[in-house]
Every structure is written in C-alpha cells, then in structure tokens.
Amino acid sequence: MRQLFPGPGRALTDRIALEEAYATPVDPSLRVNFVVSLDGAIEVNGQSAPLGGQADRDVFATLRALTDVVLVGASTTRAERYGPAKVLPEAVERRRQRRQAAIPPIAVVTATAALDPDAALFLSEPRRGIVPPRPIILTCETAPIDRRRRLEDVADVVLCGVESVDMTLALAELRARGLPQVLCEGGPTLFTTLLGEGLVDELCLTHSLVLAGPGHHSLVVAAKRFGEGAVWDQLIHWRLSFLAEDEGLLLARYRFERAEQLEEAGPLEQAGQS
C-alpha cells in the first residue's frame, strides 16, 4: 500500500504502519468504515466483500484493532454473518498496552430485538485463549420483552429510547462503559441516521474502482425510509486527512468539518470541501 496524502508518500508495509496511519483521535469519536464502488454501491449480492481486496481487508482489520467497540445495525449482522470480532495476536498485545480489552465487543442497533440468540455473533468459545466479550444490544422499550429476555442470556441488552433507538443516548451508554472510540461498520440506514444527527466524526472509505450497476444499496438511504423532515437542510462538509492506493483501490480518511472550522476557512477552501 502506498500513501499518497499527506506527502511525501511512503510505503505502508506492515500492520504497525497501518495502525499509525489510522490512529484514533485522543477524544471520544465515532468513525464509519465502508467500501464503495464508483457508482455508490456498498454491496454486491448483499455483501461488501466483492467490492474490496486485500488492502481493504487490511484496513478493516486495522480499524477493528484500534477501536474500543464495533457498532453495527442488525440487518448488517445478518447479511454479513457477523461473529465475534477477530484481532491478530500481535495487535492484541498492542491493545493491551493501550489498556484496551483484547477484543472489541460488537454493539448491535435494533429497534425490534429480532436477533437469533443462537447466531454466530453470540458464540462465547475462547479463541487463542481469549473469551470474546459479550455483545451489546442497543434497543428500545417497544422491542418485544420476550425477545429482549432471550437475548439477555447471551448479551448485554441496553434500552436507549422508547419507540426507536436514540443514537445520542446509545453512544453515551457505550462511553459510560469505557468504550469512547466507536467504529461503525454500517449499514446505510444506521449511517444515514448518524449523519443526520451530526454524530459522525470520521469517514473511512475504500473507493473500489468498479461500477456495480443499478439495483444496489448505496452509502446513504433514500429519504422516504425516514419520512418527512429527513432531507438535510445543508451540505455536510468533510476534509481529506489521508489517502493511499493499492492494486486499484483508493483508501481514504475524511474528517467531519464542524461549523466553527468552516467559519475559519475562506470561501475557496469551503468550496473545495463540499
């Protein structure tokens, strides 16, 4: 993998170099990771893997190795057949040096608690002597009580809202558990919700130089999925902070530009970031 920005470019030849390139901020933050085609598709036949390559898998593993918790929507856990997070042994040791758990827990957002307690996500068998942490189910009061009770046997069930999951409250619950660095892996409905509420600090995109064609899920879902008032009243501005290339993939980090930062920038700088 070859770093293109910021320059001068350098070769990112090992996991430590990648962890340095994708180092998390000191403050609590939420970053999102997707692979996306040139025409905006985030999946092929329901899965993201066909769009990626080895470099994308390396970044995926690096982001998991750095984060405190992986945040994901229930539909994505089913489509991508989620199990407990996997971290390479050498990364586990670096996590321990940073006073992180050996493996980050998976936190699932679901308003209905419609998850199978026998699914791979809830496996608890040790791997390389490490017991996976219990998943965290972020749900709401209207989720059927019988479903919530079944999940309580295999996960920590946390109520974050009445009729829907309040993502501001959900993130506060994660941070109260000592999990300040949050990595969201999708899907698009959850990502759109987080964007609309101004909760995303960083976007990591692997740009796959292919066209997927019509009929695929895109990065942001249509407004009709959210009802009236879902259309944003202004553009969301980002700043490129890192860019690398590897075998036809462009791997980028974008930082959210808050209003006060845009006010400090001149008109030309703002236009270049829309």
Side-chain angles (χ1 to χ4, degrees), residues 145-205:
I145 294 177
D146 59 334
R147 292 179 183 173
R148 285 156 41 190
R149 287 176 175 168
R150 286 197 298 269
L151 291 173
E152 286 173 353
D153 292 334
V154 293
D156 294 344
V157 178
V158 184
L159 298 181
C160 305
V162 179
E163 296 182 350
S164 62
V165 180
D166 181 327
M167 290 312 303
T168 298
L169 179 57
L171 292 176
E173 289 284 353
L174 293 177
R175 287 160 184 165
R177 290 168 172 257
L179 305 171
Q181 301 294 346
V182 181
L183 169 66
C184 177
E185 295 179 348
T189 300
L190 177 56
F191 177 47
T192 304
T193 300
L194 293 168
L195 280 176
E197 296 181 11
L199 299 174
V200 180
D201 299 296
E202 180 175 285
L203 178 58
C204 296
L205 284 184

CSV table of all heavy atoms in Angstrom, one decimal, residues 145-205:
chain,number,residue,atom,x,y,z
A,145,ILE,N,-40.7,-7.8,24.8
A,145,ILE,CA,-40.0,-8.2,26.0
A,145,ILE,C,-39.5,-9.6,25.9
A,145,ILE,O,-38.4,-9.9,26.4
A,145,ILE,CB,-40.9,-8.1,27.2
A,145,ILE,CG1,-41.3,-6.6,27.5
A,145,ILE,CG2,-40.3,-8.6,28.5
A,145,ILE,CD1,-42.3,-6.3,28.6
A,146,ASP,N,-40.2,-10.5,25.3
A,146,ASP,CA,-39.7,-11.9,25.2
A,146,ASP,C,-38.4,-12.0,24.4
A,146,ASP,O,-37.5,-12.8,24.7
A,146,ASP,CB,-40.8,-12.8,24.6
A,146,ASP,CG,-41.2,-12.4,23.2
A,146,ASP,OD1,-41.1,-11.2,22.9
A,146,ASP,OD2,-41.7,-13.3,22.4
A,147,ARG,N,-38.3,-11.2,23.3
A,147,ARG,CA,-37.1,-11.2,22.6
A,147,ARG,C,-35.9,-10.6,23.4
A,147,ARG,O,-34.8,-11.2,23.4
A,147,ARG,CB,-37.2,-10.4,21.3
A,147,ARG,CG,-38.2,-10.9,20.3
A,147,ARG,CD,-38.3,-10.0,19.1
A,147,ARG,NE,-39.2,-10.5,18.1
A,147,ARG,CZ,-39.6,-9.8,17.0
A,147,ARG,NH1,-39.1,-8.6,16.8
A,147,ARG,NH2,-40.5,-10.2,16.2
A,148,ARG,N,-36.2,-9.6,24.1
A,148,ARG,CA,-35.1,-9.0,24.9
A,148,ARG,C,-34.7,-9.9,26.0
A,148,ARG,O,-33.5,-10.1,26.3
A,148,ARG,CB,-35.7,-7.7,25.6
A,148,ARG,CG,-35.8,-6.5,24.6
A,148,ARG,CD,-36.8,-5.4,25.0
A,148,ARG,NE,-36.8,-5.1,26.3
A,148,ARG,CZ,-37.7,-4.3,26.9
A,148,ARG,NH1,-38.7,-3.9,26.1
A,148,ARG,NH2,-37.7,-4.1,28.2
A,149,ARG,N,-35.6,-10.7,26.6
A,149,ARG,CA,-35.2,-11.6,27.6
A,149,ARG,C,-34.3,-12.8,27.1
A,149,ARG,O,-33.4,-13.2,27.8
A,149,ARG,CB,-36.4,-12.2,28.3
A,149,ARG,CG,-37.1,-11.1,29.3
A,149,ARG,CD,-38.4,-11.6,29.9
A,149,ARG,NE,-38.9,-10.7,30.8
A,149,ARG,CZ,-40.2,-10.8,31.3
A,149,ARG,NH1,-41.0,-11.8,31.0
A,149,ARG,NH2,-40.6,-9.9,32.2
A,150,ARG,N,-34.7,-13.2,25.9
A,150,ARG,CA,-33.8,-14.3,25.3
A,150,ARG,C,-32.4,-13.8,25.0
A,150,ARG,O,-31.5,-14.5,25.2
A,150,ARG,CB,-34.5,-14.8,24.0
A,150,ARG,CG,-35.7,-15.7,24.2
A,150,ARG,CD,-36.1,-16.5,23.0
A,150,ARG,NE,-36.4,-15.6,21.9
A,150,ARG,CZ,-37.7,-15.2,21.6
A,150,ARG,NH1,-38.7,-15.6,22.4
A,150,ARG,NH2,-37.9,-14.5,20.5
A,151,LEU,N,-32.3,-12.6,24.6
A,151,LEU,CA,-31.0,-12.0,24.3
A,151,LEU,C,-30.2,-11.7,25.5
A,151,LEU,O,-29.0,-11.7,25.5
A,151,LEU,CB,-31.1,-10.7,23.4
A,151,LEU,CG,-31.7,-11.0,22.0
A,151,LEU,CD1,-31.9,-9.6,21.3
A,151,LEU,CD2,-30.7,-11.8,21.2
A,152,GLU,N,-30.9,-11.5,26.6
A,152,GLU,CA,-30.2,-11.2,27.9
A,152,GLU,C,-29.3,-12.4,28.4
A,152,GLU,O,-28.4,-12.2,29.1
A,152,GLU,CB,-31.2,-10.8,29.0
A,152,GLU,CG,-31.7,-9.4,28.8
A,152,GLU,CD,-32.9,-9.1,29.8
A,152,GLU,OE1,-33.3,-10.1,30.5
A,152,GLU,OE2,-33.3,-8.0,29.8
A,153,ASP,N,-29.6,-13.6,27.9
A,153,ASP,CA,-28.8,-14.7,28.3
A,153,ASP,C,-27.4,-14.7,27.6
A,153,ASP,O,-26.5,-15.4,28.1
A,153,ASP,CB,-29.5,-16.0,27.9
A,153,ASP,CG,-30.8,-16.3,28.8
A,153,ASP,OD1,-30.8,-15.7,29.9
A,153,ASP,OD2,-31.7,-16.9,28.3
A,154,VAL,N,-27.3,-14.0,26.4
A,154,VAL,CA,-26.1,-14.1,25.6
A,154,VAL,C,-25.5,-12.7,25.4
A,154,VAL,O,-24.4,-12.6,24.7
A,154,VAL,CB,-26.4,-14.8,24.3
A,154,VAL,CG1,-26.7,-16.3,24.5
A,154,VAL,CG2,-27.5,-14.1,23.5
A,155,ALA,N,-26.1,-11.7,25.8
A,155,ALA,CA,-25.6,-10.3,25.5
A,155,ALA,C,-26.1,-9.4,26.6
A,155,ALA,O,-27.0,-9.7,27.4
A,155,ALA,CB,-26.2,-9.9,24.2
A,156,ASP,N,-25.5,-8.2,26.6
A,156,ASP,CA,-25.9,-7.1,27.5
A,156,ASP,C,-27.0,-6.3,26.7
A,156,ASP,O,-26.6,-5.7,25.7
A,156,ASP,CB,-24.8,-6.2,27.9
A,156,ASP,CG,-23.7,-6.9,28.8
A,156,ASP,OD1,-24.1,-8.0,29.3
A,156,ASP,OD2,-22.6,-6.4,28.9
A,157,VAL,N,-28.2,-6.2,27.2
A,157,VAL,CA,-29.3,-5.5,26.5
A,157,VAL,C,-29.5,-4.2,27.2
A,157,VAL,O,-29.7,-4.1,28.4
A,157,VAL,CB,-30.6,-6.4,26.5
A,157,VAL,CG1,-31.7,-5.6,25.9
A,157,VAL,CG2,-30.4,-7.7,25.9
A,158,VAL,N,-29.4,-3.1,26.4
A,158,VAL,CA,-29.4,-1.8,26.9
A,158,VAL,C,-30.5,-1.0,26.2
A,158,VAL,O,-30.6,-1.0,24.9
A,158,VAL,CB,-28.1,-1.0,26.7
A,158,VAL,CG1,-28.1,0.4,27.3
A,158,VAL,CG2,-26.9,-1.8,27.2
A,159,LEU,N,-31.5,-0.4,27.0
A,159,LEU,CA,-32.6,0.3,26.4
A,159,LEU,C,-32.1,1.8,26.2
A,159,LEU,O,-31.6,2.4,27.1
A,159,LEU,CB,-33.8,0.3,27.3
A,159,LEU,CG,-34.4,-1.1,27.6
A,159,LEU,CD1,-35.6,-0.9,28.5
A,159,LEU,CD2,-34.8,-1.7,26.3
A,160,CYS,N,-32.3,2.2,24.9
A,160,CYS,CA,-31.8,3.6,24.5
A,160,CYS,C,-32.9,4.3,23.8
A,160,CYS,O,-32.8,4.6,22.6
A,160,CYS,CB,-30.6,3.5,23.7
A,160,CYS,SG,-29.2,2.6,24.4
A,161,GLY,N,-34.0,4.5,24.4
A,161,GLY,CA,-35.2,5.2,23.7
A,161,GLY,C,-36.4,4.4,23.9
A,161,GLY,O,-36.4,3.3,24.5
A,162,VAL,N,-37.5,5.0,23.5
A,162,VAL,CA,-38.9,4.4,23.7
A,162,VAL,C,-39.3,3.6,22.4
A,162,VAL,O,-39.4,2.4,22.5
A,162,VAL,CB,-39.9,5.5,24.1
A,162,VAL,CG1,-41.3,4.8,24.3
A,162,VAL,CG2,-39.5,6.2,25.4
A,163,GLU,N,-39.6,4.4,21.3
A,163,GLU,CA,-40.1,3.7,20.1
A,163,GLU,C,-39.0,3.4,19.1
A,163,GLU,O,-39.2,2.7,18.1
A,163,GLU,CB,-41.2,4.6,19.5
A,163,GLU,CG,-42.4,4.7,20.4
A,163,GLU,CD,-43.5,5.5,19.7
A,163,GLU,OE1,-43.2,6.1,18.7
A,163,GLU,OE2,-44.6,5.6,20.3
A,164,SER,N,-37.8,4.1,19.3
A,164,SER,CA,-36.7,3.8,18.4
A,164,SER,C,-35.4,4.0,19.2
A,164,SER,O,-35.5,4.5,20.3
A,164,SER,CB,-36.7,4.8,17.2
A,164,SER,OG,-36.6,6.2,17.7
A,165,VAL,N,-34.3,3.6,18.6
A,165,VAL,CA,-33.0,3.7,19.3
A,165,VAL,C,-32.5,5.1,19.2
A,165,VAL,O,-32.3,5.6,18.1
A,165,VAL,CB,-32.0,2.7,18.8
A,165,VAL,CG1,-30.7,2.8,19.6
A,165,VAL,CG2,-32.6,1.3,18.9
A,166,ASP,N,-32.3,5.8,20.3
A,166,ASP,CA,-31.8,7.1,20.3
A,166,ASP,C,-30.3,7.0,20.2
A,166,ASP,O,-29.6,6.6,21.2
A,166,ASP,CB,-32.2,7.8,21.6
A,166,ASP,CG,-31.7,9.3,21.7
A,166,ASP,OD1,-30.6,9.6,21.2
A,166,ASP,OD2,-32.4,10.1,22.3
A,167,MET,N,-29.7,7.4,19.1
A,167,MET,CA,-28.2,7.1,18.9
A,167,MET,C,-27.4,8.0,19.8
A,167,MET,O,-26.3,7.6,20.1
A,167,MET,CB,-27.9,7.3,17.4
A,167,MET,CG,-28.4,6.2,16.5
A,167,MET,SD,-28.2,4.5,17.2
A,167,MET,CE,-26.4,4.5,17.4
A,168,THR,N,-27.8,9.2,20.1
A,168,THR,CA,-27.1,10.0,21.0
A,168,THR,C,-27.0,9.3,22.4
A,168,THR,O,-25.9,9.3,23.0
A,168,THR,CB,-27.7,11.4,21.2
A,168,THR,OG1,-27.7,12.1,19.9
A,168,THR,CG2,-26.9,12.3,22.2
A,169,LEU,N,-28.1,8.8,22.9
A,169,LEU,CA,-28.1,8.1,24.1
A,169,LEU,C,-27.3,6.8,24.0
A,169,LEU,O,-26.6,6.4,24.9
A,169,LEU,CB,-29.6,7.7,24.5
A,169,LEU,CG,-29.8,7.0,25.8
A,169,LEU,CD1,-29.2,7.7,27.0
A,169,LEU,CD2,-31.3,6.8,26.0
A,170,ALA,N,-27.4,6.1,22.9
A,170,ALA,CA,-26.7,4.8,22.7
A,170,ALA,C,-25.2,5.1,22.8
A,170,ALA,O,-24.4,4.3,23.4
A,170,ALA,CB,-27.0,4.2,21.3
A,171,LEU,N,-24.7,6.1,22.1
A,171,LEU,CA,-23.2,6.4,22.2
A,171,LEU,C,-22.8,6.8,23.6
A,171,LEU,O,-21.8,6.4,24.1
A,171,LEU,CB,-22.9,7.6,21.2
A,171,LEU,CG,-23.0,7.2,19.7
A,171,LEU,CD1,-22.7,8.4,18.9
A,171,LEU,CD2,-22.1,6.1,19.4
A,172,ALA,N,-23.7,7.5,24.3
A,172,ALA,CA,-23.4,7.9,25.7
A,172,ALA,C,-23.3,6.6,26.6
A,172,ALA,O,-22.5,6.5,27.5
A,172,ALA,CB,-24.5,8.8,26.3
A,173,GLU,N,-24.2,5.6,26.3
A,173,GLU,CA,-24.2,4.4,27.1
A,173,GLU,C,-22.8,3.6,26.8
A,173,GLU,O,-22.2,3.1,27.7
A,173,GLU,CB,-25.3,3.5,26.6
A,173,GLU,CG,-26.7,4.0,27.1
A,173,GLU,CD,-26.9,3.7,28.6
A,173,GLU,OE1,-26.1,3.0,29.2
A,173,GLU,OE2,-27.9,4.2,29.2
A,174,LEU,N,-22.4,3.6,25.5
A,174,LEU,CA,-21.1,3.0,25.2
A,174,LEU,C,-20.0,3.6,25.9
A,174,LEU,O,-19.1,3.0,26.5
A,174,LEU,CB,-20.9,2.9,23.7
A,174,LEU,CG,-21.9,2.1,22.9
A,174,LEU,CD1,-21.6,2.2,21.4
A,174,LEU,CD2,-21.8,0.6,23.3
A,175,ARG,N,-20.0,5.0,25.9
A,175,ARG,CA,-18.9,5.7,26.5
A,175,ARG,C,-18.9,5.6,28.0
A,175,ARG,O,-17.8,5.5,28.7
A,175,ARG,CB,-18.9,7.2,26.1
A,175,ARG,CG,-18.5,7.3,24.6
A,175,ARG,CD,-18.9,8.5,23.9
A,175,ARG,NE,-18.4,8.4,22.5
A,175,ARG,CZ,-18.9,9.2,21.5
A,175,ARG,NH1,-19.8,10.1,21.8
A,175,ARG,NH2,-18.4,9.1,20.3
A,176,ALA,N,-20.1,5.4,28.6
A,176,ALA,CA,-20.2,5.2,30.1
A,176,ALA,C,-19.6,3.8,30.5
A,176,ALA,O,-19.2,3.6,31.6
A,176,ALA,CB,-21.6,5.3,30.5
A,177,ARG,N,-19.5,2.9,29.5
A,177,ARG,CA,-18.9,1.6,29.7
A,177,ARG,C,-17.4,1.6,29.5
A,177,ARG,O,-16.8,0.5,29.4
A,177,ARG,CB,-19.6,0.6,28.8
A,177,ARG,CG,-21.1,0.3,29.2
A,177,ARG,CD,-21.8,-0.5,28.1
A,177,ARG,NE,-23.1,-1.0,28.6
A,177,ARG,CZ,-23.4,-2.2,28.9
A,177,ARG,NH1,-22.5,-3.2,28.9
A,177,ARG,NH2,-24.6,-2.5,29.4
A,178,GLY,N,-16.9,2.8,29.3
A,178,GLY,CA,-15.4,2.9,29.0
A,178,GLY,C,-15.1,2.5,27.6
A,178,GLY,O,-14.0,2.0,27.3
A,179,LEU,N,-16.0,2.8,26.6
A,179,LEU,CA,-15.8,2.5,25.2
A,179,LEU,C,-15.9,3.8,24.4
A,179,LEU,O,-16.8,4.0,23.6
A,179,LEU,CB,-16.8,1.5,24.7
A,179,LEU,CG,-16.8,0.2,25.5
A,179,LEU,CD1,-18.1,-0.7,25.1
A,179,LEU,CD2,-15.6,-0.6,25.4
A,180,PRO,N,-14.9,4.7,24.5
A,180,PRO,CA,-15.1,6.0,23.9
A,180,PRO,C,-14.8,6.0,22.4
A,180,PRO,O,-15.4,6.9,21.7
A,180,PRO,CB,-14.0,6.9,24.6
A,180,PRO,CG,-13.0,5.9,25.0
A,180,PRO,CD,-13.7,4.6,25.4
A,181,GLN,N,-14.0,5.1,21.9
A,181,GLN,CA,-13.7,5.1,20.4
A,181,GLN,C,-14.6,4.1,19.8
A,181,GLN,O,-14.5,2.9,20.0
A,181,GLN,CB,-12.2,4.7,20.2
A,181,GLN,CG,-11.2,5.7,20.8
A,181,GLN,CD,-11.3,7.1,20.2
A,181,GLN,OE1,-11.8,7.3,19.2
A,181,GLN,NE2,-10.7,8.1,20.9
A,182,VAL,N,-15.5,4.6,18.9
A,182,VAL,CA,-16.5,3.7,18.3
A,182,VAL,C,-16.3,3.6,16.8
A,182,VAL,O,-16.1,4.6,16.1
A,182,VAL,CB,-17.9,4.3,18.6
A,182,VAL,CG1,-19.0,3.4,18.0
A,182,VAL,CG2,-18.2,4.5,20.1
A,183,LEU,N,-16.3,2.4,16.3
A,183,LEU,CA,-16.2,2.1,14.9
A,183,LEU,C,-17.5,1.6,14.4
A,183,LEU,O,-18.0,0.5,14.8
A,183,LEU,CB,-15.1,1.1,14.6
A,183,LEU,CG,-15.0,0.5,13.2
A,183,LEU,CD1,-14.6,1.6,12.2
A,183,LEU,CD2,-14.0,-0.6,13.1
A,184,CYS,N,-18.2,2.3,13.5
A,184,CYS,CA,-19.4,1.8,12.9
A,184,CYS,C,-19.1,1.2,11.5
A,184,CYS,O,-18.5,1.8,10.7
A,184,CYS,CB,-20.4,3.0,12.7
A,184,CYS,SG,-21.9,2.5,11.9
A,185,GLU,N,-19.6,0.0,11.3
A,185,GLU,CA,-19.4,-0.7,10.1
A,185,GLU,C,-20.7,-0.8,9.2
A,185,GLU,O,-20.8,-1.7,8.3
A,185,GLU,CB,-18.9,-2.1,10.4
A,185,GLU,CG,-17.5,-2.1,11.0
A,185,GLU,CD,-16.9,-3.5,11.4
A,185,GLU,OE1,-17.7,-4.4,11.3
A,185,GLU,OE2,-15.7,-3.5,11.7
A,186,GLY,N,-21.7,0.0,9.5
A,186,GLY,CA,-22.9,0.0,8.7
A,186,GLY,C,-24.1,-0.6,9.4
A,186,GLY,O,-24.0,-0.8,10.6
A,187,GLY,N,-25.1,-0.7,8.7
A,187,GLY,CA,-25.3,-0.5,7.3
A,187,GLY,C,-25.8,1.0,7.0
A,187,GLY,O,-25.7,1.9,7.9
A,188,PRO,N,-26.2,1.2,5.8
A,188,PRO,CA,-26.6,2.5,5.3
A,188,PRO,C,-27.7,3.2,6.1
A,188,PRO,O,-27.6,4.4,6.3
A,188,PRO,CB,-27.0,2.3,3.9
A,188,PRO,CG,-27.4,0.9,3.8
A,188,PRO,CD,-26.5,0.2,4.7
A,189,THR,N,-28.6,2.5,6.6
A,189,THR,CA,-29.7,3.1,7.4
A,189,THR,C,-29.1,3.7,8.7
A,189,THR,O,-29.4,4.8,9.1
A,189,THR,CB,-30.8,2.1,7.7
A,189,THR,OG1,-31.4,1.6,6.5
A,189,THR,CG2,-31.9,2.8,8.5
A,190,LEU,N,-28.3,2.9,9.4
A,190,LEU,CA,-27.7,3.4,10.6
A,190,LEU,C,-26.7,4.6,10.3
A,190,LEU,O,-26.7,5.6,11.0
A,190,LEU,CB,-26.9,2.3,11.3
A,190,LEU,CG,-26.1,2.6,12.5
A,190,LEU,CD1,-27.0,3.3,13.6
A,190,LEU,CD2,-25.4,1.4,13.1
A,191,PHE,N,-26.0,4.5,9.2
A,191,PHE,CA,-25.0,5.5,8.8
A,191,PHE,C,-25.8,6.8,8.5
A,191,PHE,O,-25.4,7.9,9.0
A,191,PHE,CB,-24.2,5.1,7.6
A,191,PHE,CG,-23.3,6.1,7.1
A,191,PHE,CD1,-22.5,6.9,7.9
A,191,PHE,CD2,-23.2,6.4,5.7
A,191,PHE,CE1,-21.6,7.8,7.4
A,191,PHE,CE2,-22.4,7.4,5.2
A,191,PHE,CZ,-21.6,8.1,6.1
A,192,THR,N,-26.9,6.7,7.8
A,192,THR,CA,-27.7,7.9,7.5
A,192,THR,C,-28.3,8.5,8.7
A,192,THR,O,-28.3,9.8,8.9
A,192,THR,CB,-28.9,7.5,6.5
A,192,THR,OG1,-28.3,6.9,5.4
A,192,THR,CG2,-29.6,8.7,6.1
A,193,THR,N,-28.7,7.7,9.7
A,193,THR,CA,-29.2,8.2,10.9
A,193,THR,C,-28.1,9.0,11.7
A,193,THR,O,-28.3,10.1,12.2
A,193,THR,CB,-29.8,7.1,11.8
A,193,THR,OG1,-30.8,6.4,11.1
A,193,THR,CG2,-30.3,7.6,13.2
A,194,LEU,N,-27.0,8.4,11.8
A,194,LEU,CA,-25.8,9.0,12.5
A,194,LEU,C,-25.4,10.3,11.8
A,194,LEU,O,-25.2,11.3,12.5
A,194,LEU,CB,-24.6,8.1,12.5
A,194,LEU,CG,-24.8,6.8,13.4
A,194,LEU,CD1,-23.7,5.8,13.1
A,194,LEU,CD2,-24.9,7.1,14.9
A,195,LEU,N,-25.4,10.3,10.5
A,195,LEU,CA,-25.1,11.6,9.8
A,195,LEU,C,-26.1,12.7,10.0
A,195,LEU,O,-25.8,13.8,10.3
A,195,LEU,CB,-25.0,11.3,8.3
A,195,LEU,CG,-23.8,10.6,7.7
A,195,LEU,CD1,-24.0,10.4,6.2
A,195,LEU,CD2,-22.6,11.5,7.9
A,196,GLY,N,-27.4,12.3,9.9
A,196,GLY,CA,-28.5,13.3,10.1
A,196,GLY,C,-28.5,13.9,11.5
A,196,GLY,O,-28.9,15.0,11.7
A,197,GLU,N,-27.9,13.2,12.5
A,197,GLU,CA,-27.9,13.7,13.9
A,197,GLU,C,-26.5,14.3,14.2
A,197,GLU,O,-26.3,14.7,15.3
A,197,GLU,CB,-28.2,12.5,14.8
A,197,GLU,CG,-29.6,12.0,14.7
A,197,GLU,CD,-30.0,10.9,15.7
A,197,GLU,OE1,-29.2,10.7,16.6
A,197,GLU,OE2,-31.0,10.3,15.5
A,198,GLY,N,-25.7,14.4,13.2
A,198,GLY,CA,-24.4,15.0,13.4
A,198,GLY,C,-23.4,14.3,14.3
A,198,GLY,O,-22.7,14.9,15.0
A,199,LEU,N,-23.5,13.0,14.3
A,199,LEU,CA,-22.7,12.2,15.3
A,199,LEU,C,-21.4,11.6,14.7
A,199,LEU,O,-20.6,11.0,15.5
A,199,LEU,CB,-23.6,11.1,15.9
A,199,LEU,CG,-24.8,11.5,16.6
A,199,LEU,CD1,-25.7,10.3,17.0
A,199,LEU,CD2,-24.4,12.3,17.8
A,200,VAL,N,-21.2,11.7,13.4
A,200,VAL,CA,-20.1,11.1,12.8
A,200,VAL,C,-18.9,12.0,12.8
A,200,VAL,O,-19.0,13.2,12.3
A,200,VAL,CB,-20.4,10.6,11.3
A,200,VAL,CG1,-19.2,10.0,10.7
A,200,VAL,CG2,-21.6,9.7,11.3
A,201,ASP,N,-17.7,11.6,13.3
A,201,ASP,CA,-16.5,12.4,13.3
A,201,ASP,C,-15.6,12.1,12.1
A,201,ASP,O,-14.9,13.0,11.7
A,201,ASP,CB,-15.8,12.2,14.6
A,201,ASP,CG,-16.6,12.6,15.8
A,201,ASP,OD1,-16.9,13.8,16.0
A,201,ASP,OD2,-16.9,11.7,16.6
A,202,GLU,N,-15.6,10.9,11.7
A,202,GLU,CA,-14.7,10.5,10.6
A,202,GLU,C,-15.3,9.4,9.7
A,202,GLU,O,-16.0,8.5,10.2
A,202,GLU,CB,-13.4,10.0,11.2
A,202,GLU,CG,-12.3,9.5,10.2
A,202,GLU,CD,-11.0,9.1,10.8
A,202,GLU,OE1,-10.3,10.0,11.2
A,202,GLU,OE2,-10.7,7.9,10.9
A,203,LEU,N,-15.0,9.5,8.4
A,203,LEU,CA,-15.5,8.5,7.5
A,203,LEU,C,-14.3,7.9,6.8
A,203,LEU,O,-13.5,8.6,6.2
A,203,LEU,CB,-16.4,9.2,6.4
A,203,LEU,CG,-17.0,8.4,5.3
A,203,LEU,CD1,-17.8,7.2,5.8
A,203,LEU,CD2,-17.8,9.3,4.4
A,204,CYS,N,-14.2,6.6,6.9
A,204,CYS,CA,-13.1,5.8,6.2
A,204,CYS,C,-13.8,5.1,5.0
A,204,CYS,O,-14.7,4.3,5.2
A,204,CYS,CB,-12.5,4.8,7.1
A,204,CYS,SG,-11.6,5.6,8.5
A,205,LEU,N,-13.3,5.5,3.8
A,205,LEU,CA,-13.9,4.9,2.6
A,205,LEU,C,-12.8,4.2,1.8
A,205,LEU,O,-11.8,4.8,1.5
A,205,LEU,CB,-14.6,6.0,1.7
A,205,LEU,CG,-15.9,6.5,2.2
A,205,LEU,CD1,-16.5,7.5,1.1
A,205,LEU,CD2,-16.9,5.4,2.4
